[in-house]
Each structure stands twice: as C-alpha cells, then as structure tokens.
Amino acid sequence: MTSFFGDITPIEFEGEDSTNPLAFRHYDADEVVMGKRMEDHLRFAVAYWHSFAWEGGDPFGGQTFIRPWHPQDRMDMARIKADAAFEMFEILGQPYFCWHDADIRPEGGSFAESQRNFEEIIDYMLGKMETSPVKLLWGTANMFSHRRFMSGASTNPDPDVFAYAAATVKSCMDATMKMGGENYVLWGGREGYETLLNTDLGRELDHMGRFLNMVVEYKHKIGFEGAILVEPKPQEPSKHQYDYDAATCIGFLRKYGLEDEVKLNLEQGHAILAGHSFEHEIATATSEGMLGSIDMNRNDYQSGWDTDQFPNNVPEVALCYYHILNSGGFSTGGTNFDAKLRRQSLDAQDLIAAHIGGMDICARGLKAAAAMIEDGGLDAALAERYAGWDTAEAKAMLDGDFDSIFARVLAGEINPQPRSGRQEILENYVNRFV
Ligand code: XUL
Ligand code: CO
C-alpha cells in the first residue's frame, strides 16, 4: 500500500473559527439542512481523471506532476494509482467518485487487451470498495483522447469507429452496473465538427441519436437502474459540439424520443463556454424536469477556455443550489468535482486542500440556498410578479383565441401598466444570505 498522502489524517469539521488549512470550516456531513443531512444533499464525488490521471500538462508544456503511479501505461501502476485514490477518499470522506475507463486502466494493444486491463482494475477497485464506504456516482467512457476518436465516436464518418465506441460504452456500462454506479454519463468531446466542409451534420446527429437509443436499450436489457445522463458543452476540444447546452440537448433528446430516458449532467465551466451562467443551465434543466447531476467547477473568466478550477464563489454556487433545492434536490445525481489543480500545485496536500475548499464552498452555497428558501422572499416576489395570471380572465385567455383577446383589448378592457422588475432589490435580498 502506498502512502501518497503521508501523515494527512481524515479531515474533520472544525467550524468557522478554525484556521487549520486541512479542516472543514463549513461542510459538516451530519448537519441537517432542510430536513436532510448535508452529505445527502450535496452527494460529493471525486473525479478520478483530474485528480489522479492528469499529469499537469497544458497546450504549451507537458507533465509537471511526478506521481508514484507514473508512467501510467502499466497495470502495476494502475493499482498504485487506485491505492492512492482510495487513500484520498478515506481522508476526504466524500461519499462518491467517478471514472472514465481510460483513467483507471492502461490502454492495451487491442480492444481485448484494454478490456482485460479494465476488468482487472474494476475487480481491484471492487475489492477496495468492500471495506470503503465510497460508492460510484457515475462511470463514463473516454472517447476523445485516443487518435481513433479524432473524428468523433458515434458521429464518426467511419462505421468501424461507431462499432468501437459501442463496444466501449457497453463495457463501461457493464462495469458501472457491477460497481453499483448510480448514473452513466456520456460526454461527447469530439461529437461535433472541426469544419462543415467535411461534415454531414444531419447524418451525424441521426447516428448520435441512434447510439443514445442503443445505450438506453442496453440499460433496460441488463437491468441497470441508474440514470443515463448526457453532459452539454458547446466546444473544446471540437470547434462545435452537438451537445451545445442544456436547451440544445433537451431538443435533441425530444427529437430522438429520449426525453423520458435521459437527463443532463451539467457543468459550470461548460455553461460559461456556452455564454450562459451555471444558474441558467440548471434552471433550464429543472424547469423541464431534466436535471440529473452536476459537475462543479469554475472557469477562469478572463482566459476563455475550460480551466476546470475548483469552485470558490459562494454567491454563484448558492444560486445553483437554490434551483436544485427548489426542484426537489438530487435523486441519483450529485456534485462531482470535475476540477483539477493548477499545474504548479505539485504536492499531495494541494489535492486535499483543493477538495476541502470546494466542499466548503458548496456547503456555504447550500446553506445560503436553504436559508433563502426557508425565508421565502424570492418565492413571494415571484408569486407577486405573476399574480395577474391567477385571475380567471388571464387563465381563460390561454384557452381562448386571438379574436376573443382582440375584442377585449379593443373594448379598452385591457390597458397594460408597467411595473418595476425590482432586480436590484432582489439582488440585495440575495446578498443578505451569501
Ligand atoms: C470535459 C468534461 C468531462 C466529462 C466526462 O470537459 O467535463 O470530464 O465530465 O467525460
Ligand atoms: Co464534466
């Protein structure tokens, strides 16, 4: 057993006055918020890829992290990596983790060899899960790193790649189910295009729709009870990705008859790339009953690319949880830290501190959101703003037609009187809680 984290002991909740950098100041798993333990609301997950597989590279330079499990192309190293991951899970005490196949096993020389490596490491992790309370929030397939996927997975012009992708997803769904995973996620980093000059867009969308239907058919065939989730992102790595944002994905799911079978895994950084706020994406999904889970991170607002940083903005996070709590909270989903260290943060301790910070920020956001809901100020303001629609005349109008409405307006019965939207008052209200 490695001891990558040295003498770091399990992180305790010490309260707001603590100055210990390795303690929770706000996240108390057992604290009850709106009738539920904080741990059960937030359902934190560690992302295996950023924390253990990413080596610190960026577009201008390679590896900065030197870890005991490097190089990552051998099975013995994959086991050492899993040892370190489970050591961190014990230190953080977060209830879940998430993986891609490619994070946890080395690539083999053939599909069969990769599959053997994958099954072996899944069994190795299952052995660890027998004595660890950590569970799998979701599994997913990495169908964007290897060069075979450079022109897409299910949207690839080459049917052989579609087949390879289907075999890969089947294998990952089997493993997710074997581990008791609560969701299965599909993020299509290369499901899109670099140029329309070589792309049959309509055909690619049809193939992606059929592929996702095959995922759902397979879910029912094997009796997987978790949720199938797609993760919107507008671009990066592809110039344009078909799963652009929540609204685009919802339209896509409806077109291919999947609206009752598939929900969304929304990520803060992806919302920003799409020109939205995370709050907007969450509200869009909850208004359609399609929120599955979230990837909680932040993007750098200056750099304009997907920096996947740990969250550190309470007001932003609070409004996200406000919409999540208002829609009834997570069911199978949770808060996955799809976030990575900065490439200069070399130490094991940095990895722990990053997660502590993220968990504390989310706890503050959750508590602020719960306080706003309990106070009821935003709900009351909303009810007042739309009160006109509670009248019998307004309701009848929606069942009427243009002619009957025209007659009322012409008769002078209707004479709109503009009213303040009270935005600043509402913003000041939110600031009382965050
Ligand atoms: C990429 C991203 C992925 C997905 C899983 O931006 O968010 O890590 O969450 O493939
Ligand atoms: Co993500």
Side-chain angles (χ1 to χ4, degrees):
M1 176 82 182
T2 60
S3 184
F4 178 63
F5 293 97
D7 53 12
I8 302 177
T9 50
I11 307 303
E12 311 265 357
F13 170 72
E14 292 184 5
E16 276 193 48
D17 295 336
S18 171
T19 55
N20 176 1
L22 296 185
F24 294 121
R25 298 174 59 244
H26 302 277
Y27 177 64
D28 177 3
D30 290 322
E31 183 180 332
V32 173
V33 175
M34 283 177 65
K36 206 154 119 180
R37 291 172 64 249
M38 225 192 269
E39 180 178 88
D40 301 332
H41 272 296
L42 293 163
R43 297 165 58 85
F44 287 130
V46 165
Y48 207 94
W49 49 101
H50 287 317
S51 291
F52 301 103
W54 182 61
E55 297 181 346
D58 73 8
F60 298 91
Q63 177 170 7
T64 56
F65 300 158
I66 311 291
R67 305 295 198 217
W69 53 91
H70 293 164
Q72 298 187 62
D73 58 356
R74 296 190 339 232
M75 277 305 285
D76 56 338
M77 293 304 198
R79 279 188 288 272
I80 294 172
K81 181 163 56 172
D83 293 344
F86 277 78
E87 197 189 340
M88 185 168 94
F89 302 160
E90 200 178 313
I91 291 170
L92 289 175
Q94 96 291 350
Y96 293 99
F97 74 114
C98 302
W99 49 249
H100 297 91
D101 53 351
D103 316 321
I104 59 175
R105 57 104 178 102
E107 180 83 19
S110 63
F111 183 88
E113 196 191 333
S114 294
Q115 178 67 12
R116 273 197 302 280
N117 291 346
F118 186 52
E119 283 174 9
E120 199 178 312
I121 203 72
I122 289 287
D123 286 341
Y124 186 70
M125 286 184 169
L126 278 168
K128 290 181 164 293
M129 286 166 84
E130 274 171 25
T131 53
S132 159
V134 79
K135 294 172 283 186
L136 182 67
L137 186 65
W138 47 266
T140 189
N142 175 330
M143 301 197 292
F144 45 89
S145 295
H146 194 280
R147 66 190 289 277
R148 76 172 65 86
F149 296 118
M150 70 180 187
S151 313
S154 69
T155 61
N156 202 292
D158 180 354
D160 285 356
V161 180
F162 183 101
Y164 206 99
T168 302
V169 170
K170 176 209 143 46
S171 151
C172 287
M173 288 177 73
D174 288 342
T176 299
M177 179 155 155
K178 193 170 178 185
M179 263 193 187
E182 299 189 24
N183 306 270
Y184 183 81
V185 167
L186 295 109
W187 170 65
R190 299 198 193 272
E191 305 291 36
Y193 60 78
E194 295 302 324
T195 170
L196 281 172
L197 295 175
N198 66 13
T199 303
D200 183 342
L201 191 143
R203 185 199 287 255
E204 292 201 358
L205 285 169
D206 283 350
H207 289 172
M208 199 164 98
R210 179 64 198 124
F211 191 92
L212 201 49
N213 267 285
M214 287 165 102
V215 168
V216 168
E217 287 159 19
Y218 190 64
K219 161 191 158 141
H220 292 303
K221 181 170 177 185
I222 60 177
F224 175 59
E225 285 177 2
I228 304 292
L229 309 176
V230 293
E231 184 174 327
K233 185 176 183 182
Q235 69 268 141
E236 211 188 280
S238 301
K239 171 188 156 52
H240 175 91
Q241 279 153 214
Y242 297 132
D243 291 334
Y244 199 91
D245 59 4
T248 310
C249 284
I250 291 168
F252 172 87
L253 294 174
R254 291 227 170 86
K255 176 174 179 197
Y256 293 99
L258 292 162
E259 67 273 25
D260 297 328
E261 295 282 2
V262 180
K263 290 192 163 95
L264 304 179
N265 181 45
L266 298 173
E267 173 164 330
Q268 196 267 6
H270 300 178
I272 304 298
L273 284 179
H276 302 308
S277 63
F278 197 18
E279 182 196 350
H280 165 89
E281 288 292 83
I282 292 175
T284 300
T286 56
S287 72
E288 302 267 0
M290 278 185 164
L291 178 73
S293 198
I294 62 170
D295 278 4
M296 180 56 94
N297 53 30
R298 71 182 152 113
N299 272 9
D300 185 287
Y301 287 99
Q302 281 80 49
S303 76
W305 56 292
D306 193 10
T307 56
D308 282 332
Q309 297 178 236
F310 280 85
N312 74 349
N313 184 323
V314 178
E316 267 179 16
V317 167
L319 290 172
C320 295
Y321 285 115
Y322 180 80
H323 288 282
I324 293 171
L325 288 180
N326 248 351
S327 72
F330 293 124
S331 54
T332 62
T335 304
N336 173 41
F337 289 114
D338 195 354
K340 58 178 182 264
L341 293 173
R342 298 306 85 193
R343 71 196 291 269
Q344 299 173 47
S345 304
L346 302 181
D347 299 343
Q349 173 182 293
D350 293 322
L351 205 45
I352 303 293
H355 283 90
I356 293 174
M359 290 160 86
D360 264 350
I361 290 290
C362 291
R364 286 176 68 184
L366 180 86
K367 285 190 271 190
M372 284 192 279
I373 290 173
E374 277 163 354
D375 184 74
L378 289 179
D379 256 356
L382 217 54
E384 194 196 327
R385 189 158 194 239
Y386 290 87
W389 286 99
D390 295 337
T391 64
E393 293 89 338
K395 285 184 183 147
M397 179 168 67
L398 294 179
D399 296 326
D401 64 4
F402 273 10
D403 281 331
S404 55
I405 295 172
F406 183 82
R408 283 176 63 217
V409 177
L410 191 66
E413 237 179 80
I414 307 274
N415 184 16
Q417 299 298 318
R419 290 163 58 206
S420 170
R422 296 190 181 153
Q423 179 166 339
E424 295 78 5
I425 289 176
L426 294 173
E427 286 168 352
N428 296 350
Y429 172 85
V430 170
N431 282 333
R432 271 173 44 203
F433 296 85
V434 296

